[in-house]
Amino acid sequence: MGVFVANSAENRGLVVDGVLFRGKKILLGKRPRSKSFLPGYWELPGGHVEANETPEIALKREFMEELQVKIDVLRQIHEFSFFYSGIRKRLLVFLVKQTDSAEPKPLDHDELRWVLEEEIASMHVSSDERTAILIGFKEISKI
């Protein structure tokens, strides 16, 4: 885990997710069924890091684009890799805090849901994302 600004070649495989919390709940979005990768799965909000962005700046941009909310990035809490279309992706997961009072809007998801930890077991979530979400719940329990 480190702070860096990636160039365009490094960014092709860099993805960021944010654990946004309210009390003991975390916000998840349901991927549209029209998506080719994990359609209908629940996920943490986030997206790809663009050329010359830090992961933190990318995450702030993604939350504004996907949810219309402003955030502060608190700290990185997890990291994992996966393959998509033959390309290795590196996903960094951050704990984030909302800094405005806007209600998140599902601009890039079919649905948004604030969930408790015990609800995750019954949701359609990838194993890597499930691990990241459960780590997120451990982190918010410390706050």
Side-chain angles (χ1 to χ4, degrees), residues 15-22 24-32 35 37-38 40-48 58-59 62-64 66-67 69 71 75-80 82 91-97 104-106 108-117 120 123-140:
V15 182
V16 289
D17 276 357
V19 175
L20 180 62
F21 60 95
R22 271 192 194 160
K24 294 181 178 183
K25 294 183 177 183
I26 288 177
L27 184 68
L28 298 181
K30 188 173 188 180
R31 292 179 61 81
K35 296 273 187 177
F37 185 67
L38 301 176
Y41 278 65
W42 289 91
E43 67 179 0
L44 294 165
H48 287 88
L59 198 54
E62 289 286 348
F63 266 72
M64 183 52 68
E66 291 184 6
L67 305 170
V69 296
I71 60 164
R75 65 184 174 276
Q76 185 178 338
I77 60 171
H78 187 57
E79 177 176 342
F80 64 90
F82 63 96
L91 195 144
L92 310 178
V93 182
F94 293 86
L95 188 63
V96 302
K97 180 180 176 183
K105 297 178 180 81
D108 197 48
H109 294 93
D110 283 346
E111 182 183 343
L112 297 176
R113 188 182 301 172
W114 292 98
V115 299
L116 293 167
E117 184 173 0
I120 298 302
M123 297 179 78
H124 201 52
V125 179
S126 74
S127 61
D128 287 331
E129 195 80 359
R130 184 178 312 277
T131 299
I133 293 165
L134 293 175
I135 289 169
F137 277 113
K138 286 180 186 171
E139 290 295 319
I140 66 171

